[in-house]
Amino acid sequence: MQGSNSTGRKIRIAVDAMGGDHAPHEIVGGAVQAAKELEVEIILVGPEAEIKSELGKFDVTDLPIRLVNATEVIRDGEQPIIAVMSKPDSSIPVATRLVQSGEADAIVSAGSTGACMVSAMKYLGTLPGIDRPMAGGPFLQLSPETSVFDMGVNVYCQPSDLVNFAVAGCVFARSFLGIENPTVALLNIGSEEGKGNQLAKEAFPLLQKSGMNFIGNVEGSDIPKGKANVIVCDGFVGNILLKFCEGLGETVSHWLTKELKESLPQAELEKVTTKLWRLMSPGAVLGGAPLWGVNGLVTIAHGSARAPQITYTIGEAKSCVEKGFIDLLKKELEKAQALISA
Amino acid sequence: MQGSNSTGRKIRIAVDAMGGDHAPHEIVGGAVQAAKELEVEIILVGPEAEIKSELGKFDVTDLPIRLVNATEVIRDGEQPIIAVMSKPDSSIPVATRLVQSGEADAIVSAGSTGACMVSAMKYLGTLPGIDRPMAGGPFLQLSPETSVFDMGVNVYCQPSDLVNFAVAGCVFARSFLGIENPTVALLNIGSEEGKGNQLAKEAFPLLQKSGMNFIGNVEGSDIPKGKANVIVCDGFVGNILLKFCEGLGETVSHWLTKELKESLPQAELEKVTTKLWRLMSPGAVLGGAPLWGVNGLVTIAHGSARAPQITYTIGEAKSCVEKGFIDLLKKELEKAQALISA
């Protein structure tokens, strides 16, 4: 167990009460539930009057919840960089500064991922060797032990970035899936070495000497087949795949609904198609995902999250703090970077 | 109608009798059937003795089938370039030279796509402005009016290559799907102009001035949703998507088989999962696909093709000749290239 937690006091989670499609009501509801269930201290960040009024709807007697005022609000559609820079007293920057100053151990936000990222880079900085946060995690519940990095943040990549993605994926596989020696593969258009675009060709030898369990190139079909625990690619490819998969899940579920409407009872059909849609939807895999590579724990929940998902994401953030996630990632990144520059 | 066909004589298809997993038996069977049904002349290309023996298994009395000897055979796993160069008398180069000399109007092969491509480039050359053939066509039967170019040949692309892909896609949409004014989109990671990697950013303004019905960027989810008739990307992205989709189709079909095994009769369940697999399998969309961008009609059938798919692919090749496909593509490429360099 790490830092603040080893003193025995509760892990403190700063919750962005204003982020997400259903803020502040569902966010506050989820945070209240977390304070009841999860042995965490909740710091709700948002405009004081509004949050107080929301809190009034719940019984919060004796719960470890406090409020930190944020006087500004970032609106949908605002450019993340401009929003964070021009509204330093909105909930995301205020929550981030709570981690910076050590008043909170982690942030949970269902708000703009871009704003969280900019705020994290501004106030927390990135880990050594990392220029931008990395986005990744399990891609498909159909192959739940396979994660993909990067899923969209890093459009332009250096070969060494792909090594960092692999490190992040390995930390994820070990910490969250309990896989001791995760396999790492490079997403490519053929299995032989020497295949692919310039980035793939240059990343291959680096991954070989990175000290990780690198099994070589894999193809697109190997993601659903779960051929490796960690599959790395640039964020352009990762994001297109991710969204393709989301769209396909929707289309296939609709098709199945039509195809089987005479053969299955309505309720059963709905159960199957909803389950399939979820299994094919990368966004639905986790309650939230940490921003990989920033020097502090920022956990992003889905914009559509309701109270139960917020509670769940707070639980995940707590678990990351307990596991010493940031220190672990930092150590593993340093190890791989030393090996590839040797 | 084009060239040879306008004289009233039959369209002549050179069939690579030695290409594919089930050559020569299934290929010869499919060719015989085409000669019976399709009003085409078949030129079977392969080792004379072997093909004669195969032909002996069918009743070919009065059918317009002749044989051209190919004394060498390209084996599975041979490097395409080396194979074509070192075995100029194998069936693919011999068939290609029949088109070069005007003795055949088109080639159909279920053999190595790489060997067909190298042979086409060597003997037929590429159309003006085209360095390498382009691979594309409908991606998913779930969105049958949407084609994707390039699906794997062009790993390194210049922005103008993406314009050529769009032209090919428009010719496809008009000739094969009857879509008069097909919409064209750029596969990207966001809908706004200025998104994406360098290639996407530079291709966007070229597509705008290409004279095509360019609707801007689309995301991965827009492929299954059929948001545009033609979606262009580099062959690295296209190939990864294609294989991802193939693998996912298999995984989803397996999942569905397990999930519904108590609810549906075995036969119905198999029908549904097979249909879904097929709908999700880009390779299964067409009997064959032309090699886009070479100066002659080379149609590639799937390596696993059996007689009915070979017959179907021969029908497609015939239809391309009738439509004057190569001249049409050449004219459209020239038009777009003039506009983007203006």
Side-chain angles (χ1 to χ4, degrees):
Chain A
M1 297 219 249
Q2 156 195 65
S4 55
N5 196 45
S6 62
T7 66
R9 77 163 150 61
K10 281 183 177 158
I11 288 168
R12 302 149 308 169
I13 312 285
V15 177
D16 165 20
M18 302 308 286
D21 304 342
H22 308 293
H25 184 68
E26 297 282 333
I27 312 296
V28 171
V32 168
Q33 198 58 30
K36 277 186 198 160
E37 287 174 6
L38 299 178
E39 293 277 321
V40 289
E41 183 187 331
I42 298 292
I43 310 173
L44 280 170
V45 183
E48 198 164 0
E50 199 171 345
I51 306 304
K52 266 192 181 152
S53 140
E54 278 302 328
L55 270 177
K57 298 173 189 168
F58 301 91
D59 176 12
V60 295
T61 324
D62 295 332
L63 287 183
I65 300 179
R66 63 188 186 97
L67 207 154
V68 168
N69 193 21
T71 54
E72 296 170 303
V73 176
I74 297 178
R75 305 276 168 208
D76 261 9
E78 287 191 64
Q79 274 281 359
I81 298 183
I82 297 169
V84 169
M85 296 303 181
S86 67
K87 294 179 177 172
D89 290 323
S90 56
S91 56
I92 291 173
V94 171
T96 312
R97 290 200 298 271
L98 291 175
V99 171
Q100 183 190 25
S101 66
E103 286 171 79
D105 300 305
I107 305 154
V108 166
S109 175
S112 152
T113 305
C116 287
M117 208 173 285
V118 170
S119 184
M121 289 172 75
K122 178 172 160 73
Y123 297 111
L124 307 175
T126 50
L127 295 174
I130 302 289
D131 293 323
R132 301 182 57 131
M134 305 172 278
F139 194 80
L140 278 172
Q141 276 298 10
L142 285 166
S143 52
E145 299 206 332
T146 295
S147 63
V148 173
F149 284 77
D150 182 281
M151 288 201 214
V153 176
N154 294 273
V155 171
Y156 295 97
C157 286
Q158 295 301 315
S160 62
D161 293 333
L162 270 61
V163 174
N164 295 335
F165 301 164
V167 170
C170 287
V171 168
F172 176 83
R174 266 190 228 105
S175 307
F176 292 86
L177 304 176
I179 299 167
E180 208 34 65
N181 188 23
T183 49
V184 170
L186 176 64
L187 188 57
N188 209 326
I189 58 169
S191 54
E192 312 84 356
E193 183 174 357
K195 279 273 178 183
N197 58 15
Q198 202 61 32
L199 178 67
K201 285 179 185 168
E202 291 178 15
F204 191 101
L206 291 188
L207 285 162
Q208 276 183 315
K209 58 193 267 201
S210 68
M212 286 176 277
N213 186 8
F214 179 56
I215 62 165
N217 291 326
V218 294
E219 299 187 274
S221 52
D222 296 319
I223 300 175
K225 290 180 182 169
K227 200 162 169 186
N229 298 124
V230 183
I231 296 179
V232 296
C233 59
D234 71 50
F236 187 79
V237 171
N239 185 270
I240 286 174
L241 267 179
L242 178 112
K243 289 180 181 158
F244 174 72
C245 194
E246 283 178 348
L248 190 57
E250 196 179 331
T251 310
V252 166
S253 295
H254 287 323
W255 178 83
L256 212 56
T257 301
K258 275 193 204 156
E259 190 71 14
L260 294 179
K261 72 169 185 284
E262 312 292 340
S263 317
L264 284 182
Q266 169 82 2
E268 188 179 352
L269 180 55
E270 261 178 38
K271 212 180 110 193
V272 171
T273 53
T274 306
K275 196 166 168 188
L276 179 61
W277 191 342
R278 206 181 143 75
L279 282 173
M280 289 180 70
S281 172
V285 166
L286 286 176
L291 262 192
W292 295 84
V294 297
N295 192 17
L297 196 63
V298 181
T299 310
I300 314 281
H302 204 279
S304 67
R306 294 192 178 263
Q309 287 86 45
I310 294 297
T311 308
Y312 184 80
T313 306
I314 292 171
E316 286 183 316
K318 180 197 175 196
S319 159
C320 286
V321 175
E322 285 171 343
K323 285 172 176 153
F325 172 81
I326 299 293
D327 286 344
L328 197 63
L329 180 57
K330 192 174 163 189
K331 209 179 69 191
E332 294 295 326
L333 283 169
E334 279 165 2
K335 206 161 77 183
Q337 283 160 15
L339 282 168
I340 67 171
S341 33
Chain B
M1 299 221 249
Q2 158 199 60
S4 54
N5 196 44
S6 62
T7 65
R9 79 165 149 60
K10 280 182 178 157
I11 288 168
R12 300 149 310 168
I13 312 284
V15 176
D16 166 20
M18 301 309 286
D21 304 341
H22 308 294
H25 184 68
E26 296 283 332
I27 313 297
V28 171
V32 168
Q33 198 57 29
K36 277 185 196 161
E37 288 175 5
L38 299 177
E39 293 278 321
V40 289
E41 182 187 332
I42 298 293
I43 310 174
L44 280 170
V45 183
E48 199 165 359
E50 199 171 346
I51 307 305
K52 267 192 179 153
S53 140
E54 278 303 328
L55 271 177
K57 297 173 188 168
F58 301 91
D59 176 11
V60 294
T61 324
D62 295 332
L63 287 182
I65 299 179
R66 63 187 183 98
L67 208 154
V68 168
N69 193 22
T71 54
E72 296 170 303
V73 175
I74 296 178
R75 306 277 168 206
D76 261 10
E78 287 190 64
Q79 275 280 359
I81 298 183
I82 297 169
V84 169
M85 295 305 181
S86 66
K87 294 180 177 170
D89 290 324
S90 56
S91 56
I92 292 172
V94 171
T96 312
R97 290 199 299 270
L98 292 176
V99 171
Q100 184 191 25
S101 65
E103 286 171 80
D105 300 305
I107 305 155
V108 166
S109 175
S112 151
T113 305
C116 288
M117 207 173 284
V118 170
S119 184
M121 290 173 75
K122 177 171 160 71
Y123 296 111
L124 306 175
T126 50
L127 295 175
I130 301 289
D131 294 324
R132 301 181 55 130
M134 304 172 277
F139 194 80
L140 278 171
Q141 276 297 9
L142 285 166
S143 53
E145 298 206 332
T146 294
S147 62
V148 173
F149 283 77
D150 181 282
M151 288 201 213
V153 176
N154 294 273
V155 171
Y156 295 97
C157 287
Q158 296 299 316
S160 62
D161 292 334
L162 270 61
V163 174
N164 295 335
F165 301 163
V167 171
C170 287
V171 168
F172 176 83
R174 266 189 228 104
S175 306
F176 292 87
L177 305 175
I179 299 166
E180 208 34 63
N181 188 24
T183 49
V184 170
L186 176 64
L187 187 58
N188 209 327
I189 58 170
S191 53
E192 312 84 356
E193 183 174 357
K195 280 272 178 182
N197 58 14
Q198 202 60 31
L199 178 66
K201 284 179 186 168
E202 291 178 15
F204 192 100
L206 291 188
L207 285 161
Q208 276 183 315
K209 58 194 268 203
S210 68
M212 286 176 277
N213 186 8
F214 179 57
I215 62 166
N217 292 326
V218 294
E219 299 186 276
S221 52
D222 296 319
I223 300 175
K225 290 179 182 169
K227 200 162 170 186
N229 298 124
V230 183
I231 296 179
V232 295
C233 59
D234 71 49
F236 187 79
V237 171
N239 185 269
I240 286 174
L241 268 179
L242 177 112
K243 288 180 181 158
F244 174 72
C245 194
E246 283 179 348
L248 190 57
E250 195 180 330
T251 311
V252 166
S253 296
H254 286 323
W255 178 83
L256 213 56
T257 301
K258 275 192 203 157
E259 190 71 13
L260 294 179
K261 71 169 185 282
E262 312 291 339
S263 318
L264 284 181
Q266 169 82 2
E268 187 178 354
L269 180 54
E270 261 178 39
K271 212 180 110 194
V272 171
T273 53
T274 306
K275 196 166 167 187
L276 179 60
W277 191 341
R278 205 181 144 76
L279 283 172
M280 289 179 72
S281 172
V285 166
L286 286 176
L291 261 192
W292 296 84
V294 297
N295 192 16
L297 196 64
V298 181
T299 310
I300 314 282
H302 204 279
S304 66
R306 294 192 176 263
Q309 287 86 44
I310 294 296
T311 307
Y312 184 80
T313 307
I314 292 171
E316 286 183 315
K318 180 197 176 197
S319 159
C320 286
V321 175
E322 285 171 344
K323 284 169 176 154
F325 172 81
I326 299 293
D327 287 344
L328 197 61
L329 180 56
K330 192 175 163 187
K331 209 179 70 189
E332 294 295 326
L333 283 168
E334 279 165 2
K335 207 161 76 183
Q337 283 159 15
L339 283 167
I340 66 170
S341 34

